[in-house]
């Protein structure tokens, strides 16, 4: 019995009220099963795999797209079930369109490829961003944005143990668009108003009802603001309406359903506030989940986290209280500050109660280089997120990363005089983790340089600026050619007597830093001189490096 026959049988077996069997089959595989595979295919497959393994910039322990065009490369559809982490990735499949690739893992490090979960067909022309939800019957449901034009929000469901077969709902679009990403409704007086029908959040369930929130980019662009960074703005756009103020800034729109087929608009999910975001920032790629009170998980602490992006300023979040079907933000934060290079967050709750997130890190290489290399699409390390006792967000890389450590070394009580640099005797590695603890100091600026070339032309500088109370990440000399040349700046107020604790991960073209469980910055860099130097510096006062621990890290990606 061949694979296609098995797929048809599986589709016929798994029938549910909201998701009866498909009437269309997925696109055929590029290599037909009834035909022998040519030697050229074998040779090309091996040659491509070996080329990826030898690529000096392809990360080895950050999740990387298997091949080709991961643009846009949003993480999507993350969920935990049957002891496995499932993660979808948005990519453009050659000859087909926008699809959701699918991988799973038992340890958040080693990922197994599945067949694409959803793809063009069955009423849509492509699948854009959305979320995932595991229902009471242990089936998984994907919510996604149907392409193009006036489609709307679609759902797909899987019931098999490995979640290899997904069935799109015949009720799609379950939320219908009147225009691309926009749904028109009428209020009690009969006046038309507009809500988003794009980038749905994960579904959640409360008191037997299903809920889902939808993003506002297209509503903002058409009716609210024409600000810099909003995709699609052009001179031919009509003037903004008189009530444009109502549509400015980030908004989410709440829908509810009793049966997953019929969804009714409820209200705006939260109140957008200009003290936190600007009028030209949207809310897309939303993820809404409860927060634990510990990095190790446990029971929810009573606060919820809303992760999202604005297209012009990247990943950000609200921490707040969820009650009466409304979300009440209590504090706001960002995960990128100068631009939008950390993008499209996606999160899940695992079996330990941990909230774990991923985001896409922008590649920033020209198309000619990406096409030559044969791949693009990298995610930041999985971060464990929790709420502190003061209600603010805490974050650190998941504990599983420690299993990649090899050959630990440590240096203690390293003194660095003001205006000087001290080199670490042992050079860095291509793949490494560096943990630096700097005692409280009166120095104005202090930190570490990594990837320092012998001639000093290349270096990445990570430091604390006491005057600004910011963690800074300077990539202006990280490479001679590609990458964004910028000083990223994350707010970080150290408490009286609190040391600065940095955990820095170096993975070929990715450098990611975590500070004091309160901030993190991730950037793609492209060093060309293969510098491995590590040095410490101080300005405006001496510092003491209490200890420096370093580990070489073993690769976890298959290629």
């Amino acid at each position: 019995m061949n694979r296609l026959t098995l797929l048809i049988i599986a589709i016929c077996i798994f029938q549910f009220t909201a998701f009866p069997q498909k009437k269309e089959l997925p696109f055929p595989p590029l290599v037909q099963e009834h035909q022998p595979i040519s030697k050229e295919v074998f040779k090309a497959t091996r040659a491509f795999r070996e080329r990826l393994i030898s690529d000096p910039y392809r990360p080895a322990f950050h999740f990387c797209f298997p091949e080709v065009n991961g643009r846009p490369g949003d993480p999507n559809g993350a969920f935990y079930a049957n002891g496995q982490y499932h993660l979808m990735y948005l990519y453009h499949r050659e000859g087909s369109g926008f699809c959701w690739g699918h991988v799973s893992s038992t340890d958040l490090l080693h990922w197994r490829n599945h067949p694409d979960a959803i793809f063009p067909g069955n009423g849509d022309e492509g699948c854009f961003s959305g979320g995932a939800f595991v229902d009471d019957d242990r089936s998984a449901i994907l919510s996604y944005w149907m392409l193009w034009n006036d489609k709307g929000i679609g759902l797909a469901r899987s019931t098999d143990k490995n979640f290899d077969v997904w069935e799109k709902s015949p009720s799609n679009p379950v939320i219908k668009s009147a225009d691309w990403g926009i749904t028109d409704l009428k209020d009690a007086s009969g006046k038309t108003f507009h809500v988003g029908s794009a980038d749905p959040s994960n579904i959640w369930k409360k008191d037997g009802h299903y809920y889902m929130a939808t993003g506002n980019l297209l509503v903002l662009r058409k009716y609210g603001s024409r600000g810099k960074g909003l995709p699609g703005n052009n001179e031919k756009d009509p003037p903004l309406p008189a009530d444009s103020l109502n549509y400015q800034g980030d908004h989410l729109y709440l829908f509810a359903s009793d049966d997953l087929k019929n969804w009714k608009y409820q209200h705006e999910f939260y109140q957008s506030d200009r003290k936190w975001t600007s009028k030209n920032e949207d809310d897309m790629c939303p993820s809404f989940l409860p927060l634990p009170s510990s990095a190790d998980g446990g029971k929810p602490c009573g606060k919820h986290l809303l992760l999202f992006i604005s297209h012009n300023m990247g990943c950000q979040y609200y921490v707040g209280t969820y009650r009466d079907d409304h979300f009440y933000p209590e504090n706001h934060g960002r995960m990128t500050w100068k631009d939008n290079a950390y993008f499209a967050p996606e999160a899940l709750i695992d079996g330990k109660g941990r909230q774990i997130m991923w985001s896409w890190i922008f590649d920033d290489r020209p198309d000619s280089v990406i096409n030559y290399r044969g791949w693009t699409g990298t995610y930041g390390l999985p971060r464990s997120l929790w709420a502190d006792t003061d209600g603010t967000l805490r974050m650190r890389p998941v504990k599983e990363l420690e299993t990649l450590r090899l050959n630990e070394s440590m240096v203690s009580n390293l003194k660095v005089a003001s205006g000087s640099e001290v080199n670490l005797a042992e050079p860095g590695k291509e793949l490494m983790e560096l943990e630096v603890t700097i005692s409280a100091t009166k120095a104005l600026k202090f930190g570490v340089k990594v990837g320092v070339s012998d001639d000093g032309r290349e270096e990445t500088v990570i430091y604390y600026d006491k005057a600004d109370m910011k963690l800074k990440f300077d990539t202006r000399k990280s490479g001679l050619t590609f990458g964004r040349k910028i000083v990223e700046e994350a707010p970080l107020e150290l408490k009286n007597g609190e040391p600065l604790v940095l955990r820095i991960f170096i993975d070929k073209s990715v450098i990611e830093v975590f500070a004091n469980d309160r901030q993190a910055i991730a950037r793609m860099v492209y060093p060309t001189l293969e510098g491995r130097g590590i040095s410490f510096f101080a300005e405006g006062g001496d510092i003491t490096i209490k200890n420096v621990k370093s580990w070489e890290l073993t690769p976890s990606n298959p290629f």
Side-chain angles (χ1 to χ4, degrees):
M1 187 178 294
N2 65 32
R3 194 173 174 184
L4 184 57
T5 303
L6 288 173
L7 178 60
I8 295 170
I9 292 173
I11 292 169
C12 292
I13 291 174
F14 298 124
Q15 299 183 44
F16 281 79
T17 302
F19 294 83
Q21 70 187 61
K22 293 180 182 176
K23 295 182 180 179
E24 297 179 43
L25 293 177
F27 47 72
L30 296 180
V31 178
Q32 298 291 341
E33 291 207 16
H34 62 275
Q35 296 177 348
I37 300 175
S38 68
K39 292 180 180 180
E40 286 72 22
V41 171
F42 285 125
K43 290 179 180 178
T45 301
R46 179 174 292 277
F48 182 60
R49 184 169 67 241
E50 291 174 346
R51 179 165 173 170
L52 292 179
I53 291 172
S54 64
D55 192 311
Y57 295 134
R58 185 172 173 84
F61 58 87
H62 285 74
F63 172 75
C64 250
F65 284 39
E67 72 280 313
V68 198
N69 194 357
R71 293 176 298 174
D74 301 4
N76 286 312
F79 66 95
Y80 180 84
N82 303 328
Q84 291 187 312
Y85 298 90
H86 291 262
L87 181 62
M88 314 290 174
Y89 56 94
L90 176 62
Y91 79 107
H92 188 271
R93 180 165 177 153
E94 191 70 29
S96 175
F98 289 106
C99 305
W100 283 21
H102 178 192
V103 292
S104 66
S105 174
T106 58
D107 63 2
L108 295 166
L109 301 172
H110 302 86
W111 296 92
R112 169 184 174 265
N113 290 296
H114 293 249
D116 283 359
I118 51 177
F119 35 77
N122 300 92
D124 55 48
E125 300 166 44
C127 305
F128 242 49
S129 289
F133 164 69
V134 179
D135 209 344
D136 299 334
D137 61 2
R138 298 186 180 180
S139 63
I141 299 169
L142 304 180
S143 49
Y144 68 100
W145 184 10
M146 300 173 66
L147 300 179
W148 294 90
N149 303 320
D150 60 350
K151 296 291 193 299
I153 304 302
L155 302 180
R157 188 174 199 162
S158 180
T159 60
D160 68 283
K161 184 177 180 180
N162 292 320
F163 303 101
D164 284 330
V165 179
W166 296 84
E167 304 172 34
K168 292 182 182 178
S169 171
S171 300
N172 286 351
V174 296
I175 300 172
K176 182 73 171 67
S177 296
D179 193 359
W180 188 33
I182 301 172
T183 294
D184 296 336
L185 300 170
K186 293 186 181 296
D187 62 20
S189 68
K191 181 181 177 182
T192 298
F193 65 100
H194 315 284
V195 301
S197 44
D199 275 18
S201 71
N202 54 293
I203 294 171
W204 67 93
K205 198 171 186 178
K206 184 176 68 71
D207 300 329
H209 305 292
Y210 298 95
Y211 295 88
M212 176 170 57
T214 56
N216 80 317
L217 171 64
L218 283 305
V219 176
L220 170 67
R221 193 179 73 191
K222 187 171 183 178
Y223 299 110
S225 176
R226 302 278 159 74
K228 180 181 179 182
L230 295 179
N233 287 171
N234 60 68
E235 296 178 356
K236 297 181 180 179
D237 287 335
L240 294 173
D243 62 346
S244 62
L245 185 63
N246 298 332
Y247 299 106
Q248 291 179 358
D250 53 298
H251 296 263
L252 279 185
Y253 307 98
L254 185 68
F255 288 81
S257 174
D258 294 328
D259 57 8
L260 294 171
K261 294 186 294 185
N262 302 290
W263 291 80
K264 184 177 180 181
Y265 176 66
Q266 304 298 297
H267 44 69
E268 290 205 22
F269 192 41
Y270 67 90
Q271 182 65 49
S272 182
D273 196 321
R274 299 291 70 76
K275 72 181 179 182
W276 285 322
T277 58
S278 66
K279 69 178 184 178
N280 65 345
E281 288 192 77
D282 55 306
D283 185 328
M284 295 283 273
C285 299
S287 171
F288 184 68
L289 293 168
L291 277 170
S293 56
S294 164
D296 298 323
K299 294 181 180 180
C301 71
K303 301 296 181 183
H304 273 68
L305 177 69
L306 174 62
L307 285 164
F308 67 101
I309 57 162
S310 64
H311 277 76
N312 46 8
M313 290 299 294
C315 185
Q316 52 191 294
Y317 61 87
Y318 293 112
V319 176
T321 303
Y322 174 49
R323 65 179 185 274
D324 304 323
D325 294 336
H326 288 79
F327 178 56
Y328 298 92
E330 295 162 4
N331 60 76
H332 170 265
R334 299 181 183 273
M335 295 184 177
T336 180
W337 296 265
K338 286 294 189 71
D339 57 20
N340 58 356
Y342 191 73
F343 204 75
E346 178 70 12
L348 55 75
I349 302 294
D350 76 357
K352 300 176 183 177
R354 295 184 297 180
Q355 184 172 163
I356 298 170
M357 72 162 288
W358 293 263
S359 277
W360 173 32
I361 310 175
F362 282 1
D363 191 317
D364 294 320
R365 294 178 296 172
D367 287 353
S368 58
V369 173
I370 289 171
N371 293 336
Y372 173 77
R373 294 289 181 184
W375 67 276
T376 181
T378 302
Y379 290 167
L381 293 174
R383 299 181 181 182
S384 180
L385 307 175
W386 73 99
D388 201 351
T389 53
D390 62 1
T392 56
L393 188 66
R394 296 292 179 260
M395 63 193 76
R396 72 170 61 148
V398 295
K399 191 173 181 63
E400 286 85 342
L401 283 159
E402 295 176 11
T403 64
L404 301 180
R405 291 172 174 174
L406 301 170
N407 306 321
E408 178 180 334
S409 65
M410 186 171 73
V411 177
S412 299
N413 296 317
L414 189 64
K415 307 291 185 180
V416 182
S418 178
S420 70
E421 289 190 24
V422 174
N423 296 325
L424 195 63
E426 185 174 337
K429 309 294 183 182
E430 185 179 49
L431 310 177
M432 73 174 298
E433 178 186 352
L434 189 68
E435 184 177 284
V436 183
T437 302
I438 304 176
S439 298
T441 175
K442 294 182 179 180
L444 299 179
K445 294 180 182 179
F446 53 94
V448 57
K449 298 180 179 181
V450 298
V452 181
S453 62
D454 292 340
D455 60 7
R457 287 193 297 157
E458 285 189 347
E459 62 183 18
T460 297
V461 188
I462 300 162
Y463 64 100
Y464 186 68
D465 189 326
K466 183 175 286 187
D468 290 346
M469 290 189 291
K470 289 180 179 179
L471 174 70
K472 298 190 177 182
F473 192 116
D474 187 346
T475 61
R476 291 175 296 179
K477 293 174 63 178
S478 294
L480 301 181
T481 53
F482 311 124
R484 299 192 186 191
K485 311 303 181 184
I486 191 172
V487 180
E488 179 64 290
E489 301 179 348
L492 179 64
E493 184 175 354
L494 294 178
K495 301 171 185 176
N496 187 31
E498 180 183 12
L500 177 68
V501 182
L502 302 176
R503 288 183 66 187
I504 302 167
F505 293 83
I506 300 172
D507 189 3
K508 295 187 179 181
S509 62
V510 185
I511 298 179
E512 194 160 358
V513 57
F514 295 80
N516 295 63
D517 288 348
R518 298 206 295 278
Q519 284 293 10
I521 302 173
R523 289 275 160 171
M524 300 288 288
V525 299
Y526 301 97
T528 52
L529 301 179
E530 299 183 356
R532 299 282 186 266
I534 298 173
S535 64
F536 303 94
F537 71 95
E539 298 178 12
D542 302 343
I543 63 171
T544 299
I545 312 293
K546 186 176 180 181
N547 57 61
V548 180
K549 293 181 181 180
S550 65
W551 298 267
E552 184 176 358
L553 298 183
T554 184
S556 62
N557 293 337
F559 53 82

